[in-house]
Amino acid sequence: MYETIRYEVKEQVAWLTLNRPDQMNAFTEQMNAEVIKSLKQAAADQNVRCVVITGAGRAFCAGEDLSGVTEEMNHGDVLRTRYAPMMRALHRLEKPVVAAVNGVAAGAGMSLALACDFRLLSEKASFAPAFIHIGLVPDAGHLYYLPRLIGRAKALEVAVLGEKIYAEQAVSLGLATKVIPLSNWEEEVTQFAERLAAMPTKAIGLVKRLLQESEEAAFDRYLEREAECQRIAGLTSDHREGVKAFFEKRKPTFQGN
């Protein structure tokens, strides 16, 4: 089904692995299309309650495959037709998404990681905001997410200086959830993802939606949307299970609906 990525579902977690290791998982038009397709597949699959995006081999994603860049290329059209649809699919996914950054995440690969809800970094991982070094501006939603994570002043510094950010520094900046030793990498990523998959998926989706709207909506409008989302959450079976477990003094068993 896929040629440039791997996609599999295990224990209610969809694992999306960028799979061009010899090219450091750099994006091509086909890879963009396959990532979009897999994200939509995960969104539609009721058995999927968490998504993990990672890379095969030693890199997470090196950004755009520069071997396909020509002087005549319209970079704006590339973004409109390839990257914007991919980032929209990720932005609209109302399930928790984890970037398991196993190696370097450069350019649009860094953008992809920034757009995820959680970023787990291996001790060998790094972020490379490399756009400035080839005379381009950060793209693929990069400057939408970056200041929301670390603030405007620091985002300007990262984007303009273009210095590589190593794993521990990424945590201190607020770019990463945690750093995981290589010896425990697969085990801890899996445990983290399965923990999210066992949580009330509908409520997580509503939390994501409210956070997105809080960045753009007027306060009164936000409060109304908050009330509407809480109405939806209050009708879920997971809410009923949570209340029941509270009174029974036990850990709830959520079903994701």
Side-chain angles (χ1 to χ4, degrees):
M1 181 180 294
Y2 296 109
E3 296 180 5
T4 64
I5 70 169
R6 297 198 305 264
Y7 180 88
E8 57 182 336
V9 178
K10 297 182 292 186
E11 301 297 331
Q12 298 187 301
V13 177
W15 295 83
L16 192 172
T17 304
L18 307 178
N19 192 28
R20 301 183 70 229
D22 292 343
Q23 294 77 33
M24 296 181 69
N25 303 316
F27 282 116
T28 61
E29 183 174 2
Q30 181 179 2
M31 181 181 279
N32 288 130
E34 291 187 355
V35 171
I36 294 168
K37 182 177 180 180
S38 65
L39 290 173
K40 291 181 177 179
Q41 183 176 345
D45 188 345
Q46 295 294 315
N47 188 48
V48 170
R49 294 171 61 187
C50 178
V51 177
V52 175
I53 302 176
T54 192
R58 61 190 178 92
F60 176 74
C61 175
E64 174 70 8
D65 189 334
L66 296 181
S67 67
V69 175
T70 65
E71 291 185 2
E72 298 77 24
M73 178 178 287
N74 184 322
H75 293 286
D77 284 347
V78 171
L79 290 176
R80 292 185 187 98
T81 60
R82 289 173 46 193
Y83 284 94
M86 182 178 73
M87 301 313 290
R88 287 192 188 102
L90 183 54
H91 189 73
R92 294 170 180 170
L93 184 57
E94 293 193 349
K95 298 176 182 181
V97 184
V98 179
V101 185
N102 53 300
V104 66
M110 180 175 174
S111 304
L112 180 68
L114 296 180
C116 295
D117 303 313
F118 304 91
R119 281 155 296 281
L120 305 181
L121 273 59
S122 86
E123 58 189 357
K124 295 291 187 180
S126 61
F127 289 122
F131 297 96
I132 199 71
H133 300 308
I134 54 172
L136 293 177
V137 300
D139 61 26
H142 196 106
L143 291 181
Y144 179 88
Y145 292 105
L146 187 62
R148 286 165 168 79
L149 291 170
I150 64 175
R152 182 183 182 277
K154 185 58 71 172
L156 180 67
E157 178 184 320
V158 168
V160 172
L161 298 182
E163 296 175 350
K164 183 173 284 191
I165 301 168
Y166 294 94
E168 293 294 347
Q169 183 186 2
V171 173
S172 65
L173 283 173
L175 287 176
T177 306
K178 64 185 296 188
V179 176
I180 300 173
L182 286 175
S183 58
N184 298 336
W185 173 246
E186 291 187 13
E187 178 184 358
E188 289 201 33
V189 171
T190 299
Q191 288 176 350
F192 190 88
E194 291 181 357
R195 172 186 173 188
L196 288 171
M199 295 177 73
T201 313
K202 186 70 174 179
I204 293 174
L206 293 170
V207 168
K208 291 177 61 170
R209 189 187 306 177
L210 284 171
L211 281 171
Q212 290 166 6
E213 295 192 17
S214 73
E215 295 163 349
E216 301 162 0
F219 187 60
D220 287 345
R221 170 62 179 163
Y222 171 79
L223 290 178
E224 176 54 35
R225 290 294 297 129
E226 178 185 76
E228 176 60 18
C229 286
Q230 194 68 300
R231 182 193 69 82
I232 295 170
L235 295 174
T236 63
S237 60
D238 279 345
H239 170 61
R240 293 192 296 273
E241 164 64 8
V243 173
K244 184 178 180 182
F246 174 81
F247 284 110
E248 294 177 355
K249 294 181 171 53
R250 60 174 174 81
K251 184 177 180 179
T253 302
F254 296 118
Q255 301 299 320
N257 49 53

